[in-house]
Amino acid sequence: MHTLAEWTALAQTLEFRNLAWIDGGFRAAISGKTFPAINPATEELLADVASCDTADIDLAVAAARRVFKSGEWSRCAPAERKRVLLKLADLMEQHKDEFALLDTLDMGKTITEMVYIDVPDAIDCLRWTAECIDKVYGEIAPTKPSTLGLITRHPIGVVGAITPWNYPLLMAMWKLAPALAAGNSVVLKPSEKASLSCLRLAELARSAGLPDGVLNVVPGFGHTAGKALALHMDVDSLAFTGSTRVAGMLMQYAGQSNLKRVWIEAGGKSPLIVFDDCADIEAAARGAASAIFSNQGEVCIAGSRLYVQNSIREPFIEALKRFAGKYQPGNPLDPKVKMGPMVDRAQLETVNRYIQSAIDEGGTIAHGGLADTEGTGFFPRPTIVTDTRADMTCVREEIFGPVLSVAGFDSEEEVIALANDSIYGLGASVWTDNLSRAHRVAGAIESGMVWVNGWGDGDTTMPFGGVKGSGNGRDKSLHALEKYSELKSVWISL
């Protein structure tokens, strides 16, 4: 790990790619429009990024369709696709400090999280998926001897990917790795709040040998570029990570156009449950703090609803406040800092608005509170709200910031009902030393993922995704390939 001085010096050497990447090269938006990429810690301008819209999306989709039909990537041997993607992973490894800096400067993530989580996990996702693709077999149906039933997988075509700003590189890789490995062409629309790392990735992909047009990165706003991608008649599938509200709009656009498949990883309001038979209260409190304050709380699986059994509630909250005190916002380039700024002023003001609503609705601020919005940088205050009720706004709505709602419970049945009283179903965490209870509660919670005595653990081998208002389909694991391939049945009469 470099020092703050070393990271600061390296940051001065960066060259920001600020143009769209279409058909193997950088180009300005056809309209000539741009939007500013702002460092949320200093409010300094990093670059003016091409602001693409419908015309640029049309150009990118046309390039993606042309190369898909040519078969240069879609019909080459899986082993060849693997070779190119592994080369890209090697190039990412060589430029890992650059990628770490890009997302830290562009979005405000701490350099420590970039070095130890985002960059290595993105590389691992690419390598693991690439290694899998030449080991995925077709099937032969159990038919009578006079027939042969073949079941094969084929790339779906042109994939549109719309990715968020909270994990710019990593979330993009969760879409790109399986989509490209399966042989598709991709048009990626990264968030306008953090586009720089994806543009650099596209440039390296060409250096790795990816044919022109297979990967296109078109920065722009959701209501222009994102909408155009979702409505496009020549896009065969759409993969999205973002809010539940936007997810619903994208599904409507698919219905209004060509019924393209829409794969959604949307919002969350994850419950974290601590039973009184949890032997290590300190570990549980540390885990609860990490679950809400990591990445400034800008995490879809953030453990934002904490339920503590009443018999241990008071000592647990005291331990929780001690660990919360370790998350002091500061310069995200400093390896000692555990919390950086919010992505922009609007998000900081959103967090403040939810904290104020918690106060107005009868909650008690046990730690933190309203952030100062007058100084330089968009730094929040990690906040714990106690005395919350299930009907409070801060309990029901996704805040996407470092605000934790705390409530007590008495029985297992009561807390399961509380945990499931949500439109979301992405993640959940259960802390208990009772093995039977762990299995019982994990099975009863309406959630795509449950962690027992931990939070956020996992690797590329495990599926990631949710149920209810949190979406459908899964990122990571072999199941991710299902989203980016078509099954074909061929019945042969012998």
Side-chain angles (χ1 to χ4, degrees):
M1 173 64 75
H2 298 301
T3 65
L4 170 59
E6 290 169 335
W7 283 119
T8 302
L10 283 171
Q12 301 303 315
T13 68
L14 286 183
E15 296 181 11
F16 299 114
R17 277 66 176 175
N18 63 335
L19 302 178
W21 180 268
I22 299 176
D23 205 8
F26 286 116
R27 57 180 301 150
I30 292 174
S31 67
K33 294 181 180 179
T34 62
F35 60 81
I38 302 294
N39 182 335
T42 64
E43 301 188 49
E44 295 174 341
L45 177 68
L46 299 173
D48 288 309
V49 181
S51 184
C52 299
D53 54 28
T54 302
D56 306 280
I57 291 292
D58 288 344
L59 198 64
V61 172
R65 177 61 64 189
R66 186 204 72 245
V67 72
F68 181 80
K69 286 185 174 181
S70 77
E72 186 178 359
W73 182 255
S74 60
R75 292 198 295 271
C76 75
E80 174 60 16
R81 296 201 294 269
K82 177 178 76 170
R83 184 193 65 79
V84 172
L85 295 179
L86 289 177
K87 175 62 175 175
L88 174 57
D90 291 341
L91 289 174
M92 291 178 67
E93 187 90 53
Q94 294 171 24
H95 294 269
K96 59 184 180 181
D97 284 353
E98 180 182 1
F99 279 112
L101 282 168
L102 284 173
D103 280 358
T104 292
L105 296 175
D106 199 14
M107 179 264 163
K109 300 179 69 73
T110 66
I111 197 70
T112 301
E113 285 203 16
M114 286 304 304
V115 168
Y116 291 120
I117 299 176
D118 290 43
V119 173
D121 282 8
I123 295 171
D124 177 72
C125 177
L126 181 56
R127 282 185 174 144
W128 190 90
T129 309
E131 285 286 3
C132 287
I133 200 60
D134 63 351
K135 302 169 185 68
V136 177
Y137 288 77
E139 305 169 38
I140 297 177
T143 62
K144 59 186 179 181
S146 60
T147 61
L148 179 63
L150 299 179
I151 305 167
T152 54
R153 285 194 175 274
H154 301 266
I156 196 169
V158 176
V159 173
I162 300 175
T163 53
W165 46 261
N166 60 330
Y167 290 84
L169 178 66
L170 184 56
M171 294 296 98
M173 189 56 71
W174 283 10
K175 315 298 185 192
L176 294 178
L180 294 174
N184 299 286
S185 300
V186 180
V187 178
L188 170 64
K189 204 294 284 185
S191 170
E192 70 280 2
K193 297 184 180 184
S195 304
L196 300 179
S197 60
C198 289
L199 292 169
R200 180 63 172 130
L201 179 66
E203 185 179 29
L204 288 183
R206 189 177 194 274
S207 299
L210 198 69
D212 293 347
V214 172
L215 173 59
N216 306 273
V217 180
V218 188
F221 291 88
H223 64 276
T224 52
K227 183 177 181 179
L229 192 59
L231 284 169
H232 207 291
M233 295 295 292
D234 216 17
V235 172
D236 302 293
S237 180
L238 191 67
F240 170 75
T241 294
S243 73
T244 298
R245 180 186 63 84
V246 174
M249 294 168 62
L250 296 178
M251 297 183 80
Q252 292 181 45
Y253 296 152
Q256 293 168 16
S257 53
N258 60 347
L259 296 182
K260 59 177 67 67
R261 282 91 181 268
V262 182
W263 301 106
I264 298 299
E265 197 269 275
K269 195 71 181 176
S270 299
L272 193 153
I273 302 168
V274 183
F275 288 97
D276 62 7
D277 58 16
C278 173
D280 194 342
I281 295 298
E282 290 290 304
R286 185 187 305 110
S290 176
I292 186 62
F293 299 135
S294 294
N295 202 41
Q296 301 78 249
E298 296 168 320
V299 184
C300 58
I301 57 170
S304 53
R305 292 186 292 147
L306 173 63
Y307 299 106
V308 185
Q309 201 150 21
N310 283 321
S311 56
I312 61 169
R313 183 171 56 169
E314 294 308 317
F316 186 89
I317 291 175
E318 289 306 311
L320 176 64
K321 288 192 290 187
R322 290 200 310 273
F323 287 109
K326 299 180 182 295
Y327 289 85
Q328 294 300 322
N331 185 348
L333 287 176
D334 186 346
K336 297 177 182 178
V337 168
K338 299 186 70 173
M339 179 180 284
M342 307 303 293
V343 69
D344 59 15
R345 185 170 299 281
Q347 191 63 24
L348 179 63
E349 292 173 349
T350 294
V351 171
N352 270 356
R353 187 170 66 251
Y354 275 104
I355 294 173
Q356 187 61 56
S357 78
I359 296 170
D360 295 342
E361 294 176 26
T364 300
I365 303 299
H367 181 85
L370 297 170
D372 177 13
T373 59
E374 300 301 321
T376 300
F378 313 126
F379 294 98
R381 294 181 67 191
T383 299
I384 300 171
V385 184
T386 58
D387 303 317
T388 62
R389 305 180 312 276
D391 63 345
M392 292 173 65
T393 305
C394 67
V395 175
R396 305 206 67 80
E397 297 183 8
E398 184 178 37
I399 299 173
F400 225 61
V403 182
L404 177 63
S405 301
V406 184
F409 70 92
D410 290 312
S411 69
E412 183 178 306
E413 294 74 20
E414 177 190 4
V415 79
I416 289 172
L418 287 169
N420 290 338
D421 184 17
S422 174
I423 66 169
Y424 300 107
L426 188 55
S429 179
V430 179
W431 291 79
T432 177
D433 280 11
N434 184 313
L435 182 60
S436 295
R437 170 172 277 167
H439 281 287
R440 194 166 55 240
V441 176
I445 293 177
E446 298 166 354
S447 177
M449 300 172 287
V450 180
W451 294 274
V452 176
N453 296 334
W455 170 82
D457 303 311
D459 57 24
T460 309
T461 67
M462 286 288 285
F464 187 104
V467 298
K468 300 198 296 187
S470 292
N472 57 56
R474 295 296 182 267
D475 288 319
K476 303 196 302 178
S477 83
L478 287 175
H479 293 284
L481 294 169
E482 297 166 4
K483 301 192 299 187
Y484 304 109
S485 58
E486 287 279 16
L487 281 179
K488 177 172 286 189
S489 300
V490 178
W491 184 277
I492 303 173
S493 297
L494 300 176

